[in-house]
Amino acid sequence: MSLSLSQFLFLVLTFAAVVAVTFLVMFLNQLRKTAREGEKTLVEVHELVVKLNATSQTVNQRIEEVGEMVEAARKAAVGISDVSRFLSPRFMRPASRYWPFAVPLIRLIWRQWKNKKKEEKNG
């Protein structure tokens, strides 16, 4: 039994349609799986973004606290600098001529005091 041209073309077109529909079904099935994975990934990304925002807020608060501490330390350093600038010409310069005598005397007194405490401790 021989096939006519129209029957042959119909058979080829039917085969091509089956192949195309099979490919389309497989493609849509894979697309659906990919969409599910994409939704899962978006949920995870959303959770991570929420956690990142919380972490960012915590870090910003800590940075503000550190900034306040740095400002307080800077003010303290400026205050100490002002005090030393005030005391230096009034106390250190006039007393500097006595330092060569005062330092050995202070060391001697310190050693004797330590020895006395050591003797009292040991009995």
Side-chain angles (χ1 to χ4, degrees):
M1 165 173 199
S2 66
L3 293 173
S4 67
L5 182 60
S6 64
Q7 288 174 337
F8 178 74
L9 289 176
F10 180 72
L11 186 64
V12 169
L13 289 176
T14 304
F15 182 71
V18 168
V19 169
V21 168
T22 304
F23 176 76
L24 185 63
V25 167
M26 289 174 32
F27 175 74
L28 291 176
N29 192 21
Q30 185 64 35
L31 188 63
R32 187 174 59 197
K33 288 179 185 177
T34 304
R36 279 191 215 134
E37 290 296 321
E39 288 176 3
K40 289 178 186 177
T41 304
L42 283 176
V43 169
E44 291 175 6
V45 167
H46 178 70
E47 292 172 1
L48 290 174
V49 165
V50 168
K51 290 178 184 178
L52 182 63
N53 284 338
T55 304
S56 175
Q57 289 175 352
T58 304
V59 167
N60 286 339
Q61 289 173 352
R62 301 289 179 172
I63 288 173
E64 289 175 4
E65 292 173 4
V66 168
E68 292 171 1
M69 284 194 273
V70 167
E71 185 65 27
R74 188 188 67 80
K75 287 181 181 179
V78 167
I80 291 171
S81 170
D82 290 342
V83 168
S84 68
R85 196 177 316 134
F86 175 75
L87 290 178
S88 179
R90 290 185 174 85
F91 175 70
M92 294 298 279
R93 286 191 187 140
S96 64
R97 59 185 157 181
Y98 301 115
W99 281 113
F101 303 111
V103 170
L105 183 64
I106 291 171
R107 282 185 188 163
L108 178 68
I109 293 170
W110 180 258
R111 277 191 216 134
Q112 288 179 353
W113 184 67
K114 279 177 43 178
N115 287 337
K116 185 178 179 183
K117 282 187 88 171
K118 193 175 189 182
E119 287 175 4
E120 287 176 2
K121 185 178 178 182
N122 292 333

